[in-house]
Amino acid sequence: MNPKKVMQAVDLHYDRYIDFLCGICAFEARAYDKLVIDQMADYISEFCEQEGFSVTRFPFEKCGDFLTVDLNPGAEKSCLLLAHMDTVHEKGVFGDPPVSRQGDLIRAPGVNDCKGGIAVALLMMRALRDVGFEKHVRLLLTSDEEVSNILGGEEEQRFLRDRSAGFACALNCEVSENDQVVVSRKGILRYRIDITGVPGHSGKHYFDCKNPIVEAAHKILALEAKSQKKRTTFSCNVINGGDVANIIPKTCSFTVDIRIPDRPGMESAAQAVQEITETSFLPGTSAVYTLLSSRPPMEKSNATLALFHQMRELSLQCGLGDLIPIESGAGSDSCYTQMAGIASICGLGPCGGGCHTTEEFVIASSVAKRAKILAVFALHI
């Protein structure tokens, strides 16, 4: 098939898909907002059915329902696409209305991470449909990616494995910056450490008490000291302890977010948490740890690099610009498709910035550019 025709098809439908992107960004939904995500899934399903795609909905109890969107189901399997519907933002932080557009910039909750990726994937699929592409392309839409899939749990991991089986490659339309493509991502371990001390009056009983906040400070410093550039990092970002200034509290807790580049590092990081939790820097205190979530890394592989180099070459040949491979400290659902034995690359969504902030934006024209790159790539799978 002629790449020019599929790129022309992207341009033909571009405006409508930008309107669609603004429409889904109006749904302000974190992973725990099941009602709103389900309403967004209704909106996406209706749009996709109008576009001639086959949509299947998968109900989940704790998180929003998942969707599969298929072009040519039953045909020879080609590309698997991934994106997620949830964001990190509280409702209302972007104002009313939550979506604003100025020139080529769209500012909205989740517009870059990862609703822009939904628009890219569907625009690519619509362009392929226009030119008579005959292979099977599937888009998987999840709803709790931002909380490391803890709501969907094992059922979600089975869903990702089962629904990705047999596809030639997995292309994750996650957040992107400039001309970057992600070829590896760190895994994530997240723990809460709960400390118990001896409470009392901060003046009369100071030397008889054992302050769990002080113990937490020692443990936090010990964990953070283990961080290494380009390797494993320990980030302690939430702490809770104490009620009033003149009472030494009985308990304190904090969380640690650990980013790990490879599978052996997962075990080492878990061991470090156990050792530091079991060490009492302030005698008389005790602590326990709880694993809150776990996501394996998406490791760089020969299969991943081969996909990237093929995509880069096609992008250059078609005048769509160069692509830059990067290694990301953030996690994504690509780790599960890689675990299923499918060659995977990530960060293929539109270009933007401000991810996870109230300044999140996307460059609207990059929606078309990324859709063209993916569509041309699909023609050569």
Side-chain angles (χ1 to χ4, degrees):
M1 291 183 180
N2 188 337
K4 289 184 179 179
K5 288 186 177 180
V6 78
M7 291 191 289
Q8 290 170 352
V10 168
D11 290 331
L12 178 64
H13 299 290
Y14 167 74
D15 288 335
R16 188 168 75 264
Y17 276 79
I18 292 299
D19 290 341
F20 165 76
L21 172 57
C22 292
I24 59 176
C25 286
F27 293 90
E28 300 177 80
R30 300 174 305 160
Y32 296 95
D33 302 325
K34 176 174 171 58
L35 176 62
V36 182
I37 290 183
D38 285 348
Q39 292 170 346
M40 190 195 325
D42 291 338
Y43 184 92
I44 294 171
S45 296
E46 182 178 352
F47 178 84
C48 289
E49 287 167 356
Q50 291 173 353
E51 293 296 279
F53 303 135
S54 175
V55 182
T56 307
R57 188 164 182 151
F58 299 85
F60 278 78
E61 179 182 356
K62 295 181 179 180
C63 58
D65 294 348
F66 292 4
L67 299 175
T68 59
V69 183
D70 291 282
L71 172 66
N72 303 325
E76 178 187 352
K77 291 183 177 180
S78 176
C79 298
L80 176 75
L81 305 166
L82 297 97
H84 63 89
M85 298 179 282
D86 57 315
T87 74
V88 299
H89 304 287
E90 294 276 358
K91 184 176 180 179
V93 299
F94 276 73
D96 186 14
V99 183
S100 61
R101 185 174 181 183
Q102 185 174 12
D104 200 27
L105 296 184
I106 302 173
R107 178 177 172 271
V111 69
N112 195 28
D113 185 15
C114 168
K115 294 175 182 176
I118 300 175
V120 166
L122 292 175
L123 179 53
M124 169 261 212
M125 291 170 67
R126 178 55 202 259
L128 290 173
R129 177 173 176 263
D130 275 12
V131 299
F133 187 76
E134 296 180 348
K135 293 183 180 180
H136 183 187
V137 177
R138 168 175 287 167
L139 169 62
L140 296 183
L141 292 178
T142 62
S143 65
D144 67 339
E145 191 274 347
E146 292 293 1
V147 293
S148 297
N149 317 99
I150 61 173
L151 300 179
E154 286 295 327
E155 183 183 358
E156 177 172 354
Q157 293 185 33
R158 286 194 301 271
F159 169 89
L160 289 167
R161 288 194 300 267
D162 294 345
R163 301 295 160 181
S164 62
F167 283 90
C169 62
L171 312 176
N172 196 330
C173 298
E174 269 283 5
V175 53
S176 174
E177 296 182 11
N178 301 320
D179 296 313
Q180 297 173 348
V181 172
V182 177
V183 295
S184 72
R185 287 190 179 275
K186 286 188 174 182
I188 305 173
L189 289 174
R190 195 167 290 148
Y191 290 93
R192 186 186 71 244
I193 297 177
D194 297 295
I195 303 164
T196 301
V198 178
H201 191 287
S202 62
K204 291 189 292 184
H205 305 139
Y206 179 84
F207 289 103
D208 299 319
C209 296
K210 305 298 179 182
N211 194 330
I213 294 176
V214 174
E215 179 67 13
H218 282 291
K219 291 185 188 300
I220 288 170
L221 290 173
L223 286 166
E224 294 269 358
K226 290 184 173 293
S227 297
Q228 295 179 299
K229 285 186 177 181
K230 297 184 179 181
R231 296 298 302 166
T232 298
T233 57
F234 296 75
S235 187
C236 302
N237 303 322
V238 178
I239 185 168
N240 292 285
D243 296 309
V244 294
N246 62 348
I247 297 176
I248 292 172
K250 182 178 181 180
T251 62
C252 180
S253 67
F254 67 93
T255 62
V256 54
D257 180 279
I258 312 171
R259 305 293 170 128
I260 305 127
D262 51 39
R263 296 182 191 279
M266 300 283 282
E267 184 176 346
S268 299
Q271 182 66 30
V273 169
Q274 180 180 350
E275 290 175 357
I276 290 172
T277 300
E278 293 175 349
T279 299
S280 291
F281 297 87
L282 181 63
T285 63
S286 61
V288 295
Y289 64 91
T290 302
L291 178 65
L292 301 178
S293 65
S294 174
R295 174 186 278 158
M298 169 196 167
E299 297 187 63
K300 189 189 300 184
S301 68
N302 291 335
T304 295
L305 292 176
L307 278 182
F308 168 76
H309 289 304
Q310 183 182 6
M311 184 176 289
R312 180 188 185 196
E313 183 179 350
L314 289 168
S315 181
L316 289 168
Q317 289 176 1
C318 293
L320 296 170
D322 201 359
L323 297 174
I324 303 166
I326 67 163
E327 301 177 21
S328 174
S332 84
D333 290 337
S334 291
C335 66
Y336 299 115
T337 55
Q338 187 183 69
M339 287 175 63
I342 301 172
S344 306
I345 51 177
C346 195
L348 295 169
C351 301
C355 179
H356 287 202
T357 76
T358 55
E359 300 303 317
E360 184 172 353
F361 71 93
V362 79
I363 302 170
S365 58
S366 71
V367 171
K369 181 178 178 180
R370 286 295 174 115
K372 290 175 182 177
I373 291 172
L374 296 185
V376 169
F377 181 75
L379 296 179
H380 293 80
I381 294 296

